[in-house]
Amino acid sequence: MIQTIIVSICIPAAIVYALWRIRKLTRQRHNPCCGCDGCDGCTLKNQICDKK
């Protein structure tokens, strides 16, 4: 019984997480800083911020 409960929680959670990551990936595909957490010292990010 406990295994069924755990699986019934884990599988939907994994599906939601996968969909969230796919959505995030498709929204940021044109962003050169995709995946960057705002590292200080990134010349590409500094150039982009200076143009804005």
Side-chain angles (χ1 to χ4, degrees):
M1 178 71 176
I2 191 75
Q3 292 173 343
T4 306
I5 294 170
I6 292 171
V7 168
S8 66
I9 292 171
C10 289
I11 289 178
I15 292 171
V16 168
Y17 177 75
L19 292 174
W20 174 72
R21 291 295 295 177
I22 290 169
R23 181 174 178 253
K24 185 176 176 183
L25 179 67
T26 57
R27 285 182 168 227
Q28 295 180 350
R29 66 178 169 207
H30 299 295
N31 183 358
C33 291
C34 179
C36 181
D37 293 329
C39 308
D40 292 331
C42 176
T43 56
L44 179 61
K45 184 170 177 114
N46 291 339
Q47 289 173 356
I48 292 170
C49 291
D50 289 341
K51 287 184 180 181
K52 289 184 178 180

